[in-house]
Amino acid sequence: MAERDDPEIIGRRVQQLRRERGMTQRQLAEPAYTPAYISTLEAGRVRPSDEALRHLSERLGVEFDELATGRPAHLATTLRLGLTDAQRTLATGEAEAAAEQYAALLAEAERHGLDAEQAAAQLGLGECALDVGDLAVARRHFERAEKSLADAPLPSRVPALRGRAVSHYLAGELRYACYLLESTLDELNRSGLHDPDALLLLYASAIGPYMDMGAHARAAQAAEFALALAPQVGDPALVARMHRSVARTLLAEGRVAEADASLAKAAELYRQLQIRTELANCHWMRGYLYVQNGELKRAEKELREALGMLAEKRAALYSSQVAVELADVLHRRGRSEEAAELLHGVLGDIGPERGAVHSAAAHRLLGIIAEDARDTEAAEEHYVRALSLLERAGAAGDLADLCRLLGDLLRRTGRVEAALDAYRTGLGHRTAPGTTTLGPAPAQPPL
């Protein structure tokens, strides 16, 4: 039951409702109470019992909760239904329309002091902002959701914490994203709060940052835990998201058939749920898989499908990231001019604060294309920009490869000492253990 208002507020509410209905204090009081009691109650000098409030609500023709709290009857239920509708809107790819729904629901929840519904609306607004690539706005919404749930059990706060981590990850802050995910996992596992949905969401979300940091062993471990937790999870959207994330680490281990099977499971679940963004991401990851397996024609088809679906719902950040990977495929297929045009078209949408790893990948590929065209000055400029982006993000595996490219370019242009420095930097990143901020891996969940 919602917490009651103070006696003074309840008294003023009773008096207002009585006058609106043209009733005297005697008419409201009879037959169970006296006019003097009603006078004292309206003056705020007595705290009415549940029995008294039930009598008054019946005489005034309002619900008990509305008289005690000022909230319309069934408001919380109505808001929750609205939140479900907004979630469905977001799931079908209409992030802007969903944001309008969430904003209206948030205003209503704030007006009536409903903390849980406020948190759900803030969480939804954060997911909408992630979809369109507005990372700073997304982070603020997730932080507010977390604040609204400050007194709730940790599993209830996990979606907001995970949203915050993803916004930092997409902004290129890989280590901090890992810190948020790992510290939450440790707190859940070590305190006995073994909520399968919360654990699966965190482990699946950690795979991307681990892979970009070159921490492949961590990614593989997180994937194994996520797969083991999946049978305990009832939310098909969550299971589908897990299968898509796990596919990436399976691929890194060379388990191509298993990765493809995991993506197929995710895609089928998302088709059933009509979740367009996640389905687009499945095509994206499948394209990535085909690239690693050398099947460039199939990769191009999958990435174009993903790009079309994401562009259709105006998911700018994700669209730009897919475009970078599609450009790589086009370059490998001998269509470098088309690839360069695509890359220049998306560089304005990604950068140090927004998709840093993919921004670096775009500059890296433009550098390679410039080298092929014998424009060494442009190539070096792109490589240096990419190096700066990757160093800021801490993407160790990509840094090592980029240092090799830059070193080779410097050596070919006669700058041997600078080339040696680049190679040494690359070797340092290649030999780094890829550990995250916390050092030891998170505690293992009970499986």
Side-chain angles (χ1 to χ4, degrees):
M1 186 184 295
E3 187 177 342
R4 285 189 195 181
D5 286 332
D6 292 335
E8 294 85 351
I9 296 173
I10 293 176
R12 286 197 298 271
R13 186 175 299 130
V14 169
Q15 185 181 65
Q16 180 183 345
L17 290 168
R18 177 179 63 77
R19 287 175 175 173
E20 286 173 359
R21 285 152 178 75
M23 299 174 71
T24 65
Q25 289 180 336
R26 181 178 297 279
Q27 287 171 324
L28 181 58
E30 292 177 341
Y33 298 93
T34 65
Y37 175 74
I38 299 300
S39 177
T40 306
L41 186 151
E42 288 183 351
R45 294 197 297 271
V46 64
R47 179 179 293 277
S49 65
D50 285 356
E51 184 181 353
L53 282 178
R54 287 192 183 93
H55 167 81
L56 294 172
S57 63
E58 185 177 336
R59 298 287 289 163
L60 293 166
V62 297
E63 294 286 339
F64 175 92
D65 281 350
E66 185 173 356
L67 192 60
T69 67
R71 297 168 191 162
H74 312 303
L75 173 66
T77 303
T78 303
L79 281 176
R80 285 193 288 271
L81 285 171
L83 289 164
T84 302
D85 288 340
Q87 188 177 21
R88 187 183 300 116
T89 303
L90 177 59
T92 54
E94 297 295 329
E96 292 178 1
E100 290 179 8
Q101 290 176 274
Y102 280 122
L105 292 162
L106 175 61
E108 187 74 3
E110 286 177 336
R111 187 157 50 249
H112 295 285
L114 294 168
D115 289 344
E117 286 69 26
Q118 284 182 56
Q122 293 281 12
L123 191 62
L125 285 167
E127 293 292 346
C128 292
L130 275 187
D131 252 25
V132 299
D134 202 339
L135 303 181
V137 170
R139 192 176 306 135
R140 283 199 297 273
H141 284 303
F142 291 129
E143 286 169 352
R144 288 169 186 164
E146 206 176 334
K147 186 177 179 181
S148 294
L149 295 169
D151 297 327
L154 181 56
S156 301
R157 303 199 306 273
V158 161
L161 282 160
R162 174 258 174 196
R164 231 176 6 115
V166 171
S167 65
H168 283 289
Y169 165 51
L170 292 174
E173 298 162 15
L174 307 186
R175 288 186 178 274
Y176 188 62
C178 286
Y179 165 76
L180 286 174
L181 295 167
E182 290 187 341
S183 57
T184 308
L185 278 165
D186 267 334
E187 190 175 347
L188 281 170
N189 286 323
R190 296 191 191 285
S191 59
L193 297 170
H194 303 307
D195 182 284
D197 289 60
L199 289 169
L200 176 55
L201 188 60
L202 292 166
Y203 281 119
S205 300
I207 293 171
Y210 282 154
M211 293 291 289
D212 286 347
M213 288 177 66
H216 296 154
R218 287 280 180 96
Q221 184 186 53
E224 293 298 331
F225 290 160
L227 284 168
L229 287 161
Q232 303 175 51
V233 175
D235 183 351
L238 198 56
V239 175
R241 182 185 292 168
M242 179 275 299
H243 278 299
R244 179 173 58 82
S245 297
V246 163
R248 189 175 180 186
T249 190
L250 290 172
L251 181 62
E253 295 178 343
R255 296 152 67 180
V256 176
E258 289 175 70
D260 205 2
S262 197
L263 287 170
K265 289 176 185 174
E268 184 54 35
L269 282 164
Y270 287 131
R271 285 189 191 97
Q272 294 169 11
L273 293 164
Q274 296 183 315
I275 300 179
R276 297 285 291 172
T277 303
E278 298 291 357
L279 182 55
N281 287 339
C282 287
H283 286 291
W284 177 5
M285 284 302 300
R286 181 169 276 170
Y288 178 81
L289 184 155
Y290 289 141
V291 169
Q292 303 307 310
N293 210 31
E295 301 175 68
L296 298 181
K297 186 176 180 180
R298 294 178 75 182
E300 182 180 345
K301 180 183 176 183
E302 294 290 344
L303 291 172
R304 285 196 183 280
E305 179 75 15
L307 187 58
M309 292 172 76
L310 291 167
E312 181 183 294
K313 66 182 297 279
R314 299 183 293 281
L317 178 56
Y318 292 130
S319 296
S320 299
Q321 293 175 325
V322 174
V324 172
E325 298 193 22
L326 176 59
D328 181 56
V329 171
L330 294 173
H331 170 66
R332 294 186 193 207
R333 299 193 72 191
R335 291 145 63 188
S336 295
E337 288 186 13
E338 189 180 346
E341 184 179 349
L342 187 59
L343 292 170
H344 284 298
V346 302
L347 274 176
D349 292 324
I350 50 180
E353 306 297 331
R354 228 167 149 262
V357 173
H358 278 81
S359 181
H363 281 294
R364 173 189 176 279
L365 184 52
L366 284 168
I368 291 172
I369 293 170
E371 269 207 88
D372 291 344
R374 301 185 185 282
D375 187 349
T376 55
E377 186 176 338
E380 183 177 347
E381 183 180 341
H382 283 299
Y383 288 152
V384 169
R385 285 189 185 180
L387 187 64
S388 172
L389 288 161
L390 291 175
E391 283 181 330
R392 181 183 180 280
D398 292 339
L399 267 167
D401 174 67
L402 185 64
C403 288
R404 177 188 59 80
L405 288 170
L406 179 60
D408 289 349
L409 174 66
L410 293 168
R411 181 173 52 81
R412 282 195 297 272
T413 53
R415 287 169 286 173
V416 177
E417 284 301 319
L420 286 171
D421 285 341
Y423 290 140
R424 289 188 193 102
T425 302
L427 284 170
H429 287 297
R430 171 106 25 217
T431 56
T435 54
T436 54
T437 313
L438 292 185
Q444 180 173 340
L447 304 174

